[in-house]
Amino acid sequence: GIASLNVRQQLASVVKTLSNMCDEHDNLRSVAEVLWKICAINSKRVDEVDYDELIPALSALGDKNHVDSGWFKLSGCDSEYEHSNVGALAPLIFTCFHLLFDDDGVVSRGAQKALKTLVNTAAEQAILELGRDVSSEEIARQNQWVILVEKTLVPCIRSGLNANNSAIRRYYLLLLAEVAKCFRDFSAPNLYGDLSCLINSDDPDLDFFMNITHVQIHRRARGLQRLRKVLNRDSDLVEENGPSLTMHSLSNVLLPVTLHPIYECKTKAEEPYALEAIATAGAIAKHLSWSKYHNSLWTVLNQFPHHPEQERYLIGVICSLIDAFHFQVIEENSIEAESISDELESESKVSPPEQGSAVWRALEKRIIPKVESYLVKEKVDRKGSKIKTLRSAVVLALFKLFQKFPVQLFEAKLPRLFAVICDALKSSDSDARDVARATLAKMCSEMEMKYLSYAIRELAITLTEGYRLHVRMATLHSILLELSKKYRAPSKPNDQSMLSLPLPFDQTVPAIMDLVQQDLFGDAKEWKDAEGVQKRLVKEASGSKSMDSIELICRMIFFQPSSLARPCSNGRKPPISAIHAVVSPLLERLRNPDVSSSIIGRIRECLNRVVVGISHNPSVEQDEVFPFIYASVAPFVGANLEALGRRGQSNDDEMDSSDDEDELKPINISKSNQKGESGGKVEQKNDLQKKTASNVVEWRPSTLNAANSATEARGMKSKERQALKKVQDGASAPKLTGSSRYETIATSTNSGLNNPAGISAVVFGLSLFYSILKKTKRDANDTSIIAMLDPFIPMLTTCV
């Protein structure tokens, strides 16, 4: 309204003059007189209203039974006036709305009471004149009282709901509640009769309008909870009786009221109120049409940069609105759009293909690019440098939105999100990396397992050097840890197709194990073991996430290696099973003749974790695990098994004679050269040792490769030190060139039980064998189990 008192009084004078000139509407003179009193200026004070005239005039308007200045009397509907015009009350109505903004509480409360009385008077007169026709929208709109409320009163109330002052907004909400209560039987949408379901006159604690306008914060939050409960009830009953709240009320009244706390809450005590507002905004958005939903979301997205102090709550409401997306998305010129168009002819509740295409156009060109611009924020650290931090909530909300798209659109949009997250993992700020890592783990746990390879591939491409290798392994461990909370290996296959094809998670195991091996035996391990590296600056470098990752993998894989070893029906090479993808690379490293003791220790720990993981795997069965154990351990004890067989064929006399001859044998420094030799060669060597046994009289240090001088000794020591510093593994290993680079690395053929590498492999097999035997129940009369256990007897005998 007009703030200047002089201008308002001059306008009142104009209205008074026009009323004197108008003979057709007699009630206009009475309205002009009351309007003059309300706008009267105090003659003794500067820029001050005349309260002696204003207060009595407002009190008269607020009294429904007032004889001279009541609303009904001023309307001219009684028999005193020859012609009546309810529309003549408009100047008084607008002036009362202007007085609601007055700083004087007496004036604002008097104006609010006057408008409330007008609503009651209009409802009574409309019901009295229409009778039983109040439910007919066409007949009701011809009534002058209904027209006055719908065209004059309600638009002012709606505009007042956007007021920044919560105290003033309270007056408008109470007026709206009065309109909804008095006109609940009218079907006109602008009268908001559907909001009467939120009013409870018997119990004010359950009344939405009384709670939302309460002075206490927790009562306002209770009002929003009450509204959300009604909306959830509508979601359950929408198919039966239709929603109790119309689209008009949701978009024009309830949503603006709900969004106000997002911009206004500043203190810690108001935080629960703001969080309730965020949740309620999402509940309202689920019932909006596309145009209303699009406008609301676009408005919030545009307001985000203008309220940086409210970033947390604005991010929350953006995510809540995105989560409430409930529309059908159809890509233009797609086959799906043509097929759906035929199905929708008989289903009126679903949006047509044209609207689905319009939804996709708006999302692709406006909503998604706008939201993607808010995925990352820049901030300045304590040193003054700019760092990028991922907005986890926005990423997850956009990810959930993509999940509601068709498969082709989802697969097209998903790599972009993974790229943004992995780029955030490259940050030097540990807190930013923690947020990105938790976000990626949560995404992987909520999407289908077949898309896990997308995340693994992006990690392998983005994080390739330096401390990022440790960040990559820590992220992979977080993903597996989050997956283990929701994903379990199936105990039995649901259909026969699982017997020929690996499960989606099992298909990603080779790629995961590739990253694990790089962390255990590649550049990351070299960097961690190097001297002078400040590992405390990268907290992901502490500990070994690779060992834990191997255990988690073995817990979740589908353990059935024999079924995947069968040839495929199409003639192709069968895919490697998940358990072979985990164990085979470790055992192959043990078969390498040049394997170092430190690597053997790491492999031993990895194999121990494999045992723990398989022991807790629900898909492990005896008929699968026993052949796997035997096949894994047999190559490492094969020579000993052959020797055991040959000794078993010798007679007792030869055993006795060999015992007597042992007394004459000289001391043997090593017996490793006797393994794998024929029986004749062994006897010849023993004869030679008998002849030379008497020559061994004392021990002397060997002079082989000994230095002849101190200078030569220092040179040899320096060469040995340089050789120890040179790493012969990982990326520093010699590069193979020529035609033999595609062949497998030569493995040791003489590894036995006294070899540390062979011992590690045998201990792995025996530990797994013992764990399975202790875990499973066995029947001594089961011939199938006995047949599987028989091959282990000579193996165990050899180990003993």
Side-chain angles (χ1 to χ4, degrees):
I2 299 175
S4 176
L5 297 179
N6 294 326
V7 175
R8 291 175 58 216
Q9 189 178 35
Q10 291 176 7
L11 291 175
S13 301
V14 172
V15 173
K16 187 175 182 180
T17 303
L18 293 176
S19 64
N20 294 329
M21 297 171 58
C22 183
D23 297 333
E24 195 172 327
H25 301 286
D26 299 333
N27 63 324
L28 188 58
R29 298 189 184 92
S30 301
V31 173
E33 292 178 0
V34 177
L35 182 62
W36 176 265
K37 293 180 181 179
I38 293 178
C39 298
I41 301 177
N42 194 334
S43 59
K44 297 181 180 180
R45 297 182 181 273
V46 178
D47 290 337
E48 185 176 316
V49 297
D50 191 352
Y51 291 101
D52 294 336
E53 297 287 345
L54 173 61
I55 301 301
L58 290 177
S59 300
L61 291 175
D63 187 1
K64 185 169 57 176
N65 299 323
H66 198 276
V67 179
D68 297 329
S69 300
W71 291 104
F72 181 71
K73 180 71 174 180
L74 296 175
S75 65
C77 293
D78 56 353
S79 58
E80 179 180 348
Y81 297 106
E82 184 177 350
H83 301 283
S84 62
N85 182 15
V86 177
L89 300 177
L92 278 178
I93 295 175
F94 295 143
T95 305
C96 289
F97 275 114
H98 175 77
L99 294 177
L100 290 177
F101 291 85
D102 197 282
D103 296 334
D104 194 333
V106 177
V107 176
S108 58
R109 287 193 297 269
Q112 194 264 347
K113 184 179 180 182
L115 293 172
K116 184 177 179 180
T117 304
L118 173 61
V119 173
N120 292 324
T121 302
E124 292 176 1
Q125 294 301 318
I127 295 174
L128 183 63
E129 295 176 7
L130 295 175
R132 298 181 179 179
D133 296 332
V134 295
S135 59
S136 177
E137 184 176 353
E138 296 181 358
I139 299 176
R141 284 189 172 180
Q142 298 177 3
N143 185 270
Q144 57 182 352
W145 290 101
V146 175
I147 295 174
L148 176 68
V149 175
E150 189 175 5
K151 301 296 185 181
T152 305
L153 199 65
V154 171
C156 294
I157 294 176
R158 283 181 49 187
S159 63
L161 294 178
N162 297 323
N164 295 327
N165 193 331
S166 59
I168 297 173
R169 195 166 59 243
R170 176 179 180 274
Y171 292 137
Y172 285 93
L173 282 171
L174 294 177
L175 284 174
L176 182 64
E178 195 67 24
V179 172
K181 179 180 178 181
C182 295
F183 291 90
R184 66 175 64 193
D185 297 329
F186 290 77
S187 58
N190 288 332
L191 296 177
Y192 300 105
D194 56 310
L195 293 178
S196 59
C197 65
L198 301 176
I199 301 174
N200 193 328
S201 303
D202 299 332
D203 189 358
D205 292 339
L206 300 178
D207 191 300
F208 167 74
F209 292 98
M210 293 299 296
N211 284 317
I212 201 66
T213 57
H214 203 276
V215 66
Q216 296 178 344
I217 299 297
H218 73 277
R219 289 289 298 273
R220 300 181 197 175
R222 186 187 302 176
L224 294 177
Q225 292 177 358
R226 166 71 175 165
L227 174 58
R228 195 163 65 253
K229 183 178 181 180
V230 174
L231 293 172
N232 293 335
R233 183 189 64 190
D234 288 350
S235 300
D236 298 335
L237 303 178
V238 66
E239 297 182 358
E240 300 179 3
N241 304 323
S244 58
L245 295 174
T246 63
M247 189 72 61
H248 204 63
S249 300
L250 291 172
S251 60
N252 296 335
V253 176
L254 296 178
L255 187 58
V257 170
T258 305
L259 292 178
H260 277 294
I262 308 299
Y263 301 96
E264 296 176 354
C265 293
K266 307 291 184 182
T267 62
K268 186 70 175 179
E270 295 174 329
E271 181 179 348
Y273 181 37
L275 296 179
E276 288 292 340
I278 292 172
T280 307
I284 294 174
K286 294 179 180 179
H287 300 270
L288 296 179
S289 62
W290 167 244
S291 60
K292 300 292 186 182
Y293 175 87
H294 175 254
N295 292 335
S296 302
L297 180 57
W298 186 250
T299 301
V300 177
L301 289 174
N302 288 330
Q303 291 294 326
F304 180 77
H306 303 293
H307 300 274
E309 71 282 356
Q310 299 297 109
E311 176 181 336
R312 177 190 175 192
Y313 297 143
L314 285 172
I315 288 293
V317 74
I318 289 174
C319 297
S320 182
L321 293 176
I322 293 177
D323 290 342
F325 182 86
H326 58 282
F327 306 99
Q328 188 176 16
V329 178
I330 303 175
E331 191 175 7
E332 293 182 347
N333 301 326
S334 63
I335 301 177
E336 184 181 0
E338 298 177 359
S339 61
I340 293 178
S341 60
D342 299 333
E343 300 177 0
L344 295 181
E345 293 180 357
S346 58
E347 300 180 4
S348 58
K349 294 183 180 180
V350 186
S351 58
E354 293 79 7
Q355 183 177 348
S357 300
V359 171
W360 170 243
R361 285 196 303 269
L363 288 172
E364 185 180 23
K365 297 180 180 180
R366 300 188 68 192
I367 301 297
I368 294 178
K370 193 74 171 179
V371 176
E372 287 181 344
S373 65
Y374 298 146
L375 293 179
V376 179
K377 68 174 180 179
E378 289 187 355
K379 65 178 183 179
V380 180
D381 59 3
R382 292 176 295 180
K383 298 180 180 179
S385 58
K386 292 183 178 180
I387 57 175
K388 292 183 178 181
T389 305
L390 191 72
R391 290 190 174 102
S392 175
V394 180
V395 175
L396 293 176
L398 196 60
F399 170 71
K400 293 179 181 178
L401 176 63
F402 291 163
Q403 285 182 314
K404 300 176 183 179
F405 291 175
V407 178
Q408 298 82 357
L409 298 178
F410 174 72
E411 293 178 352
K413 294 292 183 181
L414 189 60
R416 160 69 175 164
L417 283 181
F418 285 146
V420 172
I421 297 174
C422 292
D423 186 66
L425 287 171
K426 296 162 61 176
S427 174
S428 58
D429 185 19
S430 61
D431 295 335
R433 296 197 302 267
D434 293 341
V435 173
R437 183 165 56 251
T439 303
L440 184 59
K442 191 171 182 61
M443 284 179 56
C444 293
S445 65
E446 293 181 356
M447 66 182 180
E448 295 184 25
M449 200 59 63
K450 64 180 181 180
Y451 299 115
L452 180 61
S453 59
Y454 288 46
I456 303 301
R457 181 172 62 251
E458 194 64 36
L459 284 174
I461 294 174
T462 307
L463 308 174
T464 57
E465 58 184 2
Y467 71 93
R468 296 172 184 173
L469 296 175
H470 301 288
V471 176
R472 181 177 69 184
M473 195 62 239
T475 304
L476 183 60
H477 176 263
S478 299
I479 293 174
L480 294 174
L481 188 62
E482 194 70 22
L483 287 176
S484 64
K485 299 176 182 178
K486 297 184 179 181
Y487 179 79
R488 289 290 184 274
S491 57
K492 293 183 179 180
N494 298 326
D495 52 16
Q496 295 299 322
S497 62
M498 293 176 56
L499 298 176
S500 58
L501 293 177
L503 297 178
F505 177 76
D506 294 4
Q507 292 178 354
T508 62
V509 171
I512 296 175
M513 284 302 301
D514 186 24
L515 299 182
V516 171
Q517 290 187 81
Q518 292 181 29
D519 183 70
L520 288 173
F521 312 110
D523 292 343
K525 189 63 179 176
E526 295 176 8
W527 184 83
K528 185 185 296 185
D529 295 341
E531 297 181 0
V533 176
Q534 297 182 358
K535 292 175 286 188
R536 61 182 181 84
L537 299 179
V538 182
K539 64 180 182 181
E540 288 87 352
S542 60
S544 179
K545 305 295 189 304
S546 303
M547 307 291 184
D548 297 334
S549 300
I550 291 176
E551 180 180 343
L552 292 173
I553 292 172
C554 294
R555 288 174 181 262
M556 294 186 289
I557 60 175
F558 180 58
F559 190 93
Q560 200 166 17
S562 62
S563 61
L564 295 175
R566 305 184 187 116
C568 299
S569 59
N570 54 9
R572 296 181 179 180
K573 184 180 179 180
I576 185 173
S577 67
I579 185 60
H580 285 121
V582 175
V583 177
S584 296
L586 302 177
L587 296 181
E588 285 299 323
R589 289 184 178 272
L590 290 178
R591 292 170 63 87
N592 187 349
D594 298 329
V595 61
S596 63
S597 59
S598 60
I599 294 180
I600 292 176
R602 291 178 226 157
I603 296 176
R604 184 186 301 114
E605 180 62 25
C606 291
L607 293 176
N608 291 337
R609 295 299 186 94
V610 172
V611 173
V612 176
I614 294 178
S615 302
H616 293 84
N617 193 315
S619 64
V620 174
E621 297 181 357
Q622 294 179 353
D623 55 348
E624 293 287 341
V625 69
F626 288 153
F628 169 76
I629 296 174
Y630 186 85
S632 300
V633 179
F636 293 90
V637 294
N640 299 83
L641 287 175
E642 294 177 1
L644 180 64
R646 290 194 300 269
R647 287 196 298 269
Q649 295 177 359
S650 60
N651 52 32
D652 297 338
D653 296 338
E654 294 177 351
M655 293 296 294
D656 295 339
S657 62
S658 64
D659 292 340
D660 298 337
E661 293 175 354
D662 287 342
E663 299 177 358
L664 300 177
K665 290 181 180 180
I667 300 174
N668 293 328
I669 305 302
S670 174
K671 296 183 179 182
S672 59
N673 296 330
Q674 297 181 7
K675 299 176 183 177
E677 297 178 352
S678 60
K681 293 181 179 180
V682 173
E683 292 177 357
Q684 294 176 3
K685 191 171 183 179
N686 290 338
D687 295 339
L688 180 62
Q689 289 174 346
K690 291 178 183 178
K691 296 177 180 181
T692 59
S694 59
N695 297 330
V696 179
V697 293
E698 61 179 342
W699 291 102
R700 294 181 179 272
S702 174
T703 59
L704 184 63
N705 296 330
N708 298 325
S709 63
T711 304
E712 186 178 355
R714 285 194 297 270
M716 294 175 60
K717 185 175 182 180
S718 177
K719 290 181 181 180
E720 291 177 359
R721 189 183 302 110
Q722 294 296 331
L724 290 175
K725 290 183 178 179
K726 186 176 180 180
V727 180
Q728 296 291 335
D729 192 20
S732 301
K735 302 297 187 297
L736 296 179
T737 59
S739 60
S740 63
R741 64 183 182 274
Y742 298 110
E743 298 179 0
T744 57
I745 300 176
T747 56
S748 175
T749 57
N750 294 327
S751 61
L753 293 180
N754 292 329
N755 189 317
I759 292 175
S760 300
V762 173
V763 170
F764 157 69
L766 295 181
S767 300
L768 182 58
F769 185 60
Y770 173 73
S771 176
I772 297 300
L773 290 177
K774 185 173 64 173
K775 175 184 176 182
T776 58
K777 296 180 180 180
R778 300 170 303 280
D779 187 4
N781 299 324
D782 192 347
T783 57
S784 61
I785 297 180
I786 295 176
M788 287 188 293
L789 294 178
D790 281 343
F792 287 93
I793 295 177
M795 180 184 293
L796 295 176
T797 304
T798 304
C799 295
V800 172

